[in-house]
Amino acid sequence: MERPGRAAAVAGAQPRANGCSGAGHGTLRNGYVRRFPAPDTQVDHIVHNGGLYKRPFNEAFEETPMLVAVLTYVGYGVLTLFGYLRDFMRQWKIEKCQNATEREEQKDFVPLYQDFENFYTRNLYMRIRDSWNRPICSVPGAKVDMMERVSHDYNWTFTYTGRVIKDIINMGSYNYLGFAQNTGTCQEAAAKVLSQYGAGVCSSRQEMGNLDKHEELEKLVARFLGVESAMAYGMGFATNSMNIPALVGKGCLILSDELNHASLVLGARLSGATIRIFKHNNMQSLEKLLKDAIVHGQPRTRRPWKKILILVEGIYSMEGSIVRLPEVIALKKKYKSYLYLDEAHSIGALGPSGRGVVDYFGLNPEDVDIMMGTFTKSFGAAGGYIGGKKELIDYLRTYSHSAVYATSMSPPVVEQIITSVKCIMGEDGTIVGKARVQQLAENTRYFRRRLKEMGFIIYGNEDSPVVPLMLYMPAKIGAFGREMLKRNIGVVVVGFPATPIIESRARFCLSAAHTKEMLDRALKEIDEVGDLLQLKYSRHRLVPLLDRPFDETTYEETED
Amino acid sequence: MDIKNMKNYLYWLFCQFELITCSYLMEPWEKVLFYTFNITMLFMVLYTAYIYVPIHISTAFQFSRILCSKHETTYLVVIWTF
Ligand SMILES: Cc1ncc(COP(=O)(O)O)c(C=O)c1O
């Protein structure tokens, strides 16, 4: 709950966007802080790791209003009933069956298309499918062109009309720093490298695919992150899913946040380690699991765990929340475990110099054992990296599957990353990069503040450039996507299974490339659509993340 | 002017109903089915109300009167006839 006194105190301290000014020591709203730093005391960063935030950490999630939740269930109820009706008609051949079905000769095998997710896809998702997977036909910068398409059979198939919808304001790309461009220094450098090196080497790094460009990139990334050494991979997803198994195995314990990305989940499962899940960003839950792990050791044998690895993300892309890194690091040190931080969304997008959450909280990069991130988002390229101690990276170079088997990165892509990282670091001799980081932080604050004022329910941290706007009802998912496209704004809507079934949302991703006019136009249209669809659910009652009700069933153990 | 506002308002209400019940997402024939069902239900509820509410009210009225005069037997008779 937000008390006016506190809010006034925060406003008084004037915390600046994304910590771009040094003087932002406001008060904190969450009950976690044990000591308050006196304003304008420059505390040494090592001291901060004792669960102490250097900057205000305002992260709040508004409860779902009861009425909205009930109406959402009513909507799903109606759709489910009609779904059963349609399934019945398909079964009895009253209606043409267009979805995948069991083959005649496999009738007696385990059914493939009868679980809930298939039912959902067939009968609910199909009705609103036109809001997803829209093909675009230009560079996805601040504005984007989309191909117009129509469906004559209620979204089972689409045909293109041949027309292009021009200049849609792009609120959906993870283009945080606006490096998705087809002009400018990055593009020129990449084009030059393309003509010099060609498009790819068709060999893995361990064989003949190792180019000087790759080595240059790794050195640069290590310098950017402030770690000893780094390694780059061609795909962010594979970086997670193939390196976690190289780091932990049987007899190890993985503590994973419940909302971690699929790549982390896959990596954890492939590793064969025991996985325990803590509640989203909830440090009490994490500490309890750590304590239990130390006290009880492995199940049955009661031997101590070989390693304990904590998996967290920098910014959670569905909730827009930022990890409580100072506390995670404090816990990690207290219980002598390892920390794997996935900075896919936060690298470039957070921190006064764009170096991710570690920079945002003013911590020491060496406190994070494994710094992982992707080049797909802020840098407008593709691939992933891992940074850390030299021994760790040397080990991964020899043992990680994605180092051994994957072909090396394409040189023009590498060049795009190099130029964009240099731009952010200011090594190209300009302040363009710094200005972009600052612009993104300002856009974020502005956009979030305006949406909150309009009365929408917005999730997440006020500094996170991922802004989820809650829609809840299934019909509103489709309606929101369509209405916004009608008004020339491209948005991403998210529903089950990416979110809990009643918490459907639209997710805006801000970019440094958005100008104030674009944001104002987008906000005006969102306001209009919000009134039209009655999306302004907010009653301005915020609950800090800790007090959110969670399921009791998240403590699942996978023991073999 | 007022009538136009009223019409707009009714249309808006109808849109909200469509969004909440998800009939916004339905195919035409499904909508027909859904609305037929709903209208039938509504009609039946109203009709039942029309038939029974006056009787209920009059019995309730009688009942309260009987209660005041404490005639147990007539009270039972009233219940049974109803
Ligand atoms: C947290 C997280 N990790 C990893 C990835 C995968 O990265 P990539 O898209 O580069 O494969 C993503 C991307 O969606 C992500 O959100």
Side-chain angles (χ1 to χ4, degrees):
Chain A
M1 272 262 220
E2 204 164 341
R3 272 159 293 166
R6 279 289 180 82
V10 172
Q14 276 195 344
R16 284 281 302 279
N18 211 353
C20 287
S21 82
H25 301 294
T27 40
L28 287 122
R29 290 181 191 174
N30 304 77
Y32 260 123
V33 184
R34 283 138 216 149
R35 285 164 284 164
F36 284 90
D40 60 53
T41 324
Q42 205 50 51
V43 199
D44 185 14
H45 61 246
I46 295 164
V47 184
H48 291 306
N49 295 337
L52 180 65
Y53 290 87
K54 214 175 164 186
R55 44 184 292 107
F57 188 78
N58 298 333
E59 193 164 290
F61 290 80
E62 191 167 336
E63 243 177 304
T64 310
M66 189 49 141
L67 181 66
V68 175
V70 170
L71 293 180
T72 309
Y73 281 120
V74 168
Y76 275 112
V78 172
L79 281 182
T80 310
L81 282 180
F82 272 87
Y84 280 122
L85 176 70
R86 301 293 293 271
D87 270 359
F88 173 82
M89 286 168 55
R90 287 187 195 114
Q91 173 122 32
W92 292 96
K93 306 267 177 345
I94 304 172
E95 181 190 351
K96 190 170 150 239
C97 178
Q98 279 166 304
N99 53 279
T101 45
E102 326 289 347
R103 287 161 63 190
E104 198 52 49
E105 56 270 43
Q106 288 179 344
K107 275 279 188 279
D108 299 327
F109 285 70
V110 179
L112 293 175
Y113 303 109
Q114 280 180 8
D115 60 349
F116 178 71
E117 299 220 352
N118 276 296
F119 179 84
Y120 181 86
T121 313
R122 211 163 44 222
N123 296 312
L124 280 74
Y125 172 67
M126 221 21 113
R127 295 177 193 269
I128 47 178
R129 196 161 80 110
D130 56 326
S131 296
W132 278 273
N133 308 339
R134 292 186 186 134
I136 63 169
C137 52
S138 77
V139 60
K143 291 198 171 176
V144 66
D145 299 343
M146 257 180 220
M147 291 171 70
E148 197 184 58
R149 59 179 188 180
V150 289
S151 176
H152 298 293
D153 51 1
Y154 299 99
N155 291 349
W156 286 97
T157 58
F158 290 101
T159 44
Y160 295 105
T161 57
R163 278 192 294 277
V164 169
I165 317 175
K166 287 229 175 266
D167 285 337
I168 292 174
I169 296 180
N170 180 3
M171 302 298 299
S173 288
Y174 296 139
N175 180 18
Y176 297 124
L177 294 181
F179 280 112
Q181 290 171 305
N182 55 0
T183 52
T185 46
C186 291
Q187 181 266 342
E188 282 156 22
K192 201 159 136 243
V193 167
L194 178 63
S195 56
Q196 192 183 344
Y197 286 80
V201 199
C202 310
S203 176
S204 71
R205 291 284 298 277
Q206 289 196 351
E207 288 164 337
M208 292 156 74
N210 199 22
L211 297 174
D212 57 346
K213 278 282 163 214
H214 296 133
E215 310 253 326
E216 186 189 337
L217 172 67
E218 286 173 354
K219 292 217 179 70
L220 181 68
V221 168
R223 205 144 46 77
F224 179 60
L225 297 173
V227 293
E228 282 177 16
S229 183
M231 174 164 195
Y233 304 86
M235 179 183 172
F237 192 98
T239 313
N240 277 336
S241 54
M242 294 288 102
N243 283 309
I244 297 172
L247 294 168
V248 288
K250 232 173 146 48
C252 300
L253 175 68
I254 290 178
L255 299 179
S256 171
D257 192 291
E258 65 179 342
L259 296 179
N260 271 345
H261 188 253
S263 56
L264 291 164
V265 174
L266 179 67
R269 291 197 181 146
L270 287 177
S271 71
T274 304
I275 305 165
R276 289 187 187 151
I277 291 158
F278 60 93
K279 293 173 185 173
H280 176 55
N281 233 352
N282 186 330
M283 293 303 122
Q284 283 152 346
S285 169
L286 174 61
E287 178 156 21
K288 181 170 178 301
L289 287 186
L290 277 167
K291 226 182 244 166
D292 284 353
I294 304 274
V295 173
H296 300 301
Q298 297 188 32
R300 287 194 291 277
T301 60
R302 302 286 164 225
R303 284 196 203 121
W305 295 100
K306 285 189 199 147
K307 280 176 232 165
I308 299 178
L309 182 67
I310 304 170
L311 296 185
V312 288
E313 283 180 36
I315 293 183
Y316 291 84
S317 59
M318 285 298 161
E319 311 293 296
S321 48
I322 297 179
V323 63
R324 299 172 167 275
L325 195 62
E327 289 167 67
V328 176
I329 289 182
L331 283 180
K332 171 215 118 141
K333 285 189 172 161
K334 183 170 168 196
Y335 293 97
K336 307 240 175 335
S337 51
Y338 297 97
L339 176 59
Y340 187 110
L341 175 65
D342 182 340
E343 294 221 71
H345 291 270
S346 51
I347 192 74
L350 276 188
S353 51
R355 288 173 160 90
V357 259
V358 177
D359 187 23
Y360 175 77
F361 287 114
L363 302 169
N364 184 357
E366 303 208 331
D367 287 334
V368 181
D369 300 282
I370 303 134
M371 300 255 270
M372 181 273 164
T374 67
F375 300 124
T376 324
K377 278 110 196 170
S378 299
F379 306 105
Y385 64 80
I386 283 198
K389 292 243 170 355
K390 184 161 182 314
E391 301 89 72
L392 170 84
I393 303 300
D394 286 345
Y395 171 81
L396 284 179
R397 262 184 225 288
T398 31
Y399 289 101
S400 145
H401 293 308
S402 53
V404 180
Y405 297 112
T407 51
S408 66
M409 291 173 82
S410 166
V413 175
V414 172
E415 187 61 26
Q416 160 81 22
I417 303 164
I418 292 175
T419 33
S420 51
V421 171
K422 277 192 176 156
C423 181
I424 298 169
M425 291 168 82
E427 289 190 1
D428 57 349
T430 65
I431 52 156
V432 175
K434 183 120 186 138
R436 287 189 192 217
V437 172
Q438 205 139 3
Q439 182 68 45
L440 174 66
E442 270 165 33
N443 284 355
T444 303
R445 285 273 174 124
Y446 176 69
F447 196 75
R448 277 189 171 265
R449 183 171 58 78
R450 287 287 307 276
L451 283 184
K452 264 207 195 110
E453 281 167 7
M454 287 176 195
F456 293 105
I457 295 191
I458 301 293
Y459 272 9
N461 193 295
E462 66 177 7
D463 283 328
S464 133
V466 183
V467 187
L469 183 153
M470 302 311 287
L471 303 174
Y472 298 110
M473 294 168 203
K476 291 187 181 176
I477 309 175
F480 191 76
R482 288 172 202 166
E483 290 294 329
M484 291 309 278
L485 186 63
K486 234 188 255 170
R487 291 164 168 75
N488 258 17
I489 306 214
V491 296
V492 172
V493 283
V494 198
F496 182 81
T499 65
I501 195 142
I502 73 157
E503 293 188 7
S504 314
R505 58 197 74 177
R507 190 184 52 188
F508 304 106
C509 294
L510 293 162
S511 163
H514 289 136
T515 58
K516 180 126 192 305
E517 292 76 58
M518 286 184 206
L519 289 183
D520 280 335
R521 233 203 77 213
L523 284 164
K524 192 182 128 264
E525 306 292 6
I526 293 169
D527 192 27
E528 211 171 274
V529 176
D531 282 330
L532 183 70
L533 306 182
Q534 284 290 294
L535 294 172
K536 299 183 175 172
Y537 304 116
S538 177
R539 293 164 304 167
H540 296 286
R541 273 204 258 143
L542 305 178
V543 260
L545 187 55
L546 310 175
D547 304 342
R548 264 180 105 197
F550 286 98
D551 304 346
E552 293 306 316
T553 51
T554 47
Y555 291 90
E556 239 180 280
E557 284 191 29
T558 50
E559 282 166 22
D560 26 294
Chain B
M1 203 49 208
D2 238 351
I3 290 187
K4 200 169 159 231
N5 267 348
M6 197 63 200
K7 240 169 86 181
N8 278 347
Y9 178 67
L10 282 182
Y11 179 70
W12 179 85
L13 262 189
F14 173 69
C15 285
Q16 296 310 315
F17 175 77
E18 282 216 314
L19 282 171
I20 287 169
T21 56
C22 291
S23 47
Y24 172 75
L25 301 175
M26 287 176 186
E27 292 172 25
W29 69 265
E30 283 174 316
K31 271 192 197 185
V32 170
L33 192 68
F34 184 70
Y35 283 115
T36 324
F37 178 76
N38 276 358
I39 289 169
T40 324
M41 285 311 264
L42 189 71
F43 175 74
M44 271 159 40
V45 166
L46 288 182
Y47 184 70
T48 324
Y50 172 71
I51 296 291
Y52 285 105
V53 166
I55 298 180
H56 277 273
I57 289 176
S58 65
T59 25
F61 192 62
Q62 280 182 17
F63 179 58
S64 59
R65 267 213 333 230
I66 289 160
L67 217 62
C68 292
S69 56
K70 296 205 177 67
H71 274 269
E72 293 297 317
T73 41
T74 23
Y75 162 59
L76 273 179
V77 169
V78 169
I79 295 292
W80 285 118
T81 46
F82 154 69

